[in-house]
Amino acid sequence: MADRAAVEVRGVSRTFRGPRGEMVALKDVNLTIGAGEFVTVVGPSGCGKSTLLNLIVGLIEPTQGELWYAGEPYRGINHDIGYVTQADNLFPWRTVLRNVTFGLEMRHIGTRKDRRRRALELLDQVGLQGFAGHYRHELSGGMRQRVNIVRTIAYNPKVILLDEPFGPLDVQNRLQLQDLLLRLWQSRPGTTVIFITHDLTEAIALGDRVVVMSARPGRVREVFPVTLPRPRDIYTIHTNQIFRSLYDKVWAHLAEEMRVTTS
Ligand code: ADP
Ligand code: MG
């Protein structure tokens, strides 16, 4: 892990008021994520993974505890953090190019020409050259998710949160996008990634550490360092012996939590 902390989740709990009273979504979560680290998070459905990202980006506030960024506590939206949600949320009335330049326009980054150039370069890197003038409805699911990631990466946020971004994709698209994400991350040293997934293979293949959360109320159950070297070949890494033994070890924990959810 990097020696400098990017994001620190300190004793964070979050309660929601529902029709049947209060519901504790997260309870006393503690997590320190180093600058430049790629951390993946797995846990049973409903354990508060999305809530955790919403708290980190500042869309919601903790009921208890604090969030720290670069050594300081913060509240409200953290503008150094980019958020790639599961739904692509692309603007249907903007072209692919103008979806990518949107975040740059909002942040007044570069001239119109610079923004256009940067967007085209990134689209090129993810294999979408030739689709700059297309609209959302003209793209496949995999293409939409490429645009979704690129438009967040375009403004170079120091921290990127991704919430099950490859969930609905087929295996080939998933692997291609995992590979792309690793390349984009590696070409931006110091960028911190927090990546949520329900796929343990993906969590281990991508992460420096895998965080396993417990069933509701969500807590950090265990954190596993991934000692696989980088760069990683996403297409074959699951055959590696280190990968396999780590998978079995983490799976035992995850399976226990999944049983808790259904019982
Ligand atoms: P996960 O992403 O791990 O599946 P979530 O973070 O979406 O889990 O949700 C955790 C729990 O908190 C769920 O029981 C969910 O219904 C509840 N929850 C999440 N957001 C809200 C909200 N805005 N209002 C009420 N309950 C919520
Ligand atoms: Mg979720």
Side-chain angles (χ1 to χ4, degrees), residues 125-151:
Q125 280 174 38
V126 299
L128 288 179
Q129 55 275 50
F131 289 89
H134 283 56
Y135 289 88
R136 185 182 183 280
H137 72 272
E138 299 172 297
L139 307 176
S140 69
M143 287 170 164
R144 286 176 192 171
Q145 223 31 314
R146 282 172 166 76
V147 180
N148 196 24
I149 288 169
V150 154
R151 71 169 170 166

Side-chain angles (χ1 to χ4, degrees), residues 37-100:
E37 205 183 5
F38 197 128
V39 170
T40 54
V41 181
V42 290
S45 119
C47 76
K49 301 182 294 298
S50 299
T51 301
L52 180 64
L53 292 193
N54 289 338
L55 283 159
I56 292 173
V57 78
L59 282 172
I60 59 173
E61 302 259 317
T63 315
Q64 258 172 45
E66 288 184 335
L67 289 146
W68 286 55
Y69 175 72
E72 311 244 352
Y74 66 94
R75 291 182 79 117
I77 297 284
N78 184 327
H79 293 282
D80 279 353
I81 302 181
Y83 195 1
V84 178
T85 51
Q86 185 165 12
D88 63 66
N89 297 322
L90 296 180
F91 299 124
W93 61 88
R94 281 187 165 233
T95 60
V96 164
L97 180 79
R98 297 196 59 242
N99 265 285
V100 178

Side-chain angles (χ1 to χ4, degrees), residues 156-195:
N156 288 325
K158 296 203 171 72
V159 179
I160 303 172
L161 313 180
L162 301 102
D163 193 356
E164 305 197 25
F166 310 146
L169 302 179
D170 61 60
V171 175
Q172 189 184 359
N173 260 303
R174 262 181 110 81
L175 291 171
Q176 287 176 348
L177 274 155
Q178 289 167 5
D179 189 43
L180 277 170
L181 180 64
L182 281 186
R183 284 167 200 267
L184 290 167
W185 170 65
Q186 265 157 342
S187 63
R188 288 164 177 73
T191 302
T192 308
V193 173
I194 308 175
F195 183 103

